[in-house]
Amino acid sequence: MKSVILNIAVRIGFVLLLCLSLSAEAQTGEQKALEARKDQLENEIREINRLLFAQREQKGSVLDQMDALNQKINRQQQLIRITNQQSNLLNRQINTNIRQISKLRSDLEILKGDYAQMIRKSYENRSQQNRLLFLMSSTSFFQAFKRLQYMKQYTQFRKKQGEEIVVKTETLSTLNSDLTRQRKEKELLIAQNRRTKNELTDQVQSQQSLLKTIRQNESAYASEIDKKRKEARAIERQIENLIRSAIAASNRESGNRAATPGKFALTPEATLVANNFSANKGRLIWPVEKGVKKQGYGVYADAVYPGIKHQSNGVIIAADEGSDARAVFEGEVIAVLAVPGGNKGVQLKHGNFISTYYNLAELYVKKGDKVKVKEALGKIYTNRSSGLTQLKFYLYQDTNRLNPEEWIYRL
């Protein structure tokens, strides 16, 4: 009866350990995901420092400085949230380990007590004569057979008990090591969080100082905002006019008079390209080899006067000086942009999708060229007054604007 109870206890203990193990694996997966996101944020902060702050002291408008500060503050706030989540997760793991250690110690005490009792009984009945007498005193062959089976099972159970003690002792040692490591990790996270919060405080103070400077010269700031708006709208008008012209020319060439106005009449080959492009939504490469998103897509609040809203129909990506714009997908050059008094740009057709790369100082391709994914299209312009190298990237399906952040991988 006692052996049955012990067997049940061992099985229950195994199930509990299995559940705890599965829980630990889930927490490990969550921790890895948080660590990956933390690494990404830290890399983004380094890129913002390198690409947006490098020239800040000597060059750059107050608007560029404000944008850079806002981006860095935003990433630091996200980083603090991530490290807080990691710290909370470690707390849960530490508490789980403490409970496991307590249970294992209790189980070990019971196992060792039972094992010691079994050893004492084995010692008392250690002689071969006693075991032989136990078998010979059987009243029947069947009883003798059952007693022999019992002696074998008893020996195997004793061996299993010893092995269970070894396993639990090793598990206890591993958990104690994990607990020590987790507590050190938590201390490091707390220290990192403290440093990030101090940096954030410094950045917020810089932001407040810059805000004060801007508000002292509100008219100059408003003038700069208005100038940028007009420049952006002029570029976007030309982009959309070129798209409409390209659609009309393509449909004329195909001889498809029934084509819907503002939409490409696609050949089977162009349909295949469009379908492949669409299938890669969220996985397209960046239009630069290395960079950081400076301005996203859509409506956003003004950095200085939050009540004022701005509209961005594309994204702006900051890169290293001398960087090239590259094709996000295979396609055909359908137009070259040249804004009067501005810089150059390139439009690529991917079926009925159009990607536009603007703010180029030099072009490597011409209208009609077929390009491959990652192929360099031109050198991105570097503004000598601000020191910034920025690519403006737009995405359309026929004449409909798309959000590049939904199409480019992790943009």
Side-chain angles (χ1 to χ4, degrees), residues 77-333:
Q77 288 170 336
Q78 289 183 54
L79 185 59
I80 288 169
R81 283 196 294 272
I82 291 293
T83 50
N84 281 338
Q85 288 175 328
Q86 285 184 299
S87 181
N88 291 336
L89 185 57
L90 275 172
N91 270 339
R92 293 201 298 272
Q93 291 175 342
I94 287 168
N95 290 335
T96 299
N97 272 356
I98 288 171
R99 287 194 296 271
Q100 282 184 271
I101 287 168
S102 176
K103 186 180 183 311
L104 278 171
R105 282 175 176 161
S106 175
D107 290 348
L108 271 172
E109 285 180 11
I110 294 169
L111 279 171
K112 286 177 178 178
D114 290 340
Y115 192 71
Q117 189 176 357
M118 290 172 68
I119 294 298
R120 281 196 299 272
K121 286 190 175 182
S122 295
Y123 181 79
E124 290 169 2
N125 302 310
R126 68 188 182 280
S127 70
Q128 186 68 28
Q129 186 179 3
N130 285 342
R131 287 195 286 271
L132 187 59
L133 285 171
F134 179 62
L135 286 173
M136 296 300 292
S137 63
S138 302
T139 57
S140 66
F141 175 78
F142 180 74
Q143 189 182 53
F145 176 76
K146 294 294 287 182
R147 286 185 177 186
L148 181 62
Q149 290 295 105
Y150 167 77
M151 289 167 63
K152 287 180 179 178
Q153 288 173 1
Y154 187 80
T155 303
Q156 288 172 356
F157 183 70
R158 190 176 70 182
K159 181 182 177 184
K160 187 178 178 182
Q161 286 280 68
E163 289 171 351
E164 185 75 13
I165 289 171
V166 171
V167 169
K168 284 186 180 288
T169 302
E170 288 175 353
T171 304
L172 185 61
S173 176
T174 301
L175 285 173
N176 278 320
S177 298
D178 284 347
L179 192 60
T180 302
R181 175 184 55 78
Q182 287 164 350
R183 282 173 172 158
K184 286 181 180 177
E185 284 180 10
K186 186 180 175 184
E187 288 172 5
L188 289 172
L189 280 173
I190 291 169
Q192 182 186 13
N193 228 0
R194 192 179 297 115
R195 287 194 301 272
T196 306
K197 285 178 179 177
N198 289 337
E199 288 175 11
L200 180 60
T201 300
D202 293 340
Q203 296 299 329
V204 170
Q205 287 174 351
S206 297
Q207 185 189 51
Q208 294 302 318
S209 176
L210 190 56
L211 277 171
K212 187 177 178 181
T213 303
I214 292 170
R215 285 170 177 163
Q216 285 174 349
N217 195 358
E218 188 174 332
S219 60
Y221 179 78
S223 175
E224 189 175 354
I225 288 287
D226 189 54
K227 179 184 174 186
K228 284 184 177 288
R229 274 180 175 168
K230 286 178 180 177
E231 288 175 354
R233 193 62 208 130
I235 294 164
E236 287 159 11
R237 273 197 302 268
Q238 187 175 5
I239 288 170
E240 291 171 5
N241 287 337
L242 286 170
I243 290 172
R244 281 191 287 270
S245 297
I247 291 173
S250 175
N251 291 348
R252 277 196 306 271
E253 288 173 13
S254 69
N256 191 335
R257 295 182 180 180
T260 305
K263 289 185 179 293
F264 283 102
L266 298 178
T267 63
E269 182 183 5
T271 300
L272 182 61
V273 174
N275 289 342
N276 287 339
F277 189 93
S278 183
N280 279 278
K281 184 176 182 179
R283 298 196 299 270
L284 296 175
I285 66 165
W286 280 51
V288 296
E289 186 175 351
K290 195 172 185 181
V292 61
K293 181 180 71 178
K294 186 173 182 289
Q295 177 59 59
Y297 176 90
V299 177
Y300 62 97
D302 187 80
V304 180
Y305 300 100
I308 299 173
K309 305 299 178 185
H310 302 287
Q311 172 71 39
S312 172
N313 294 327
V315 294
I316 298 175
I317 299 172
D320 289 306
E321 184 174 351
S323 294
D324 291 333
R326 61 180 187 170
V328 298
F329 202 76
E330 63 177 282
E332 178 187 350
V333 179

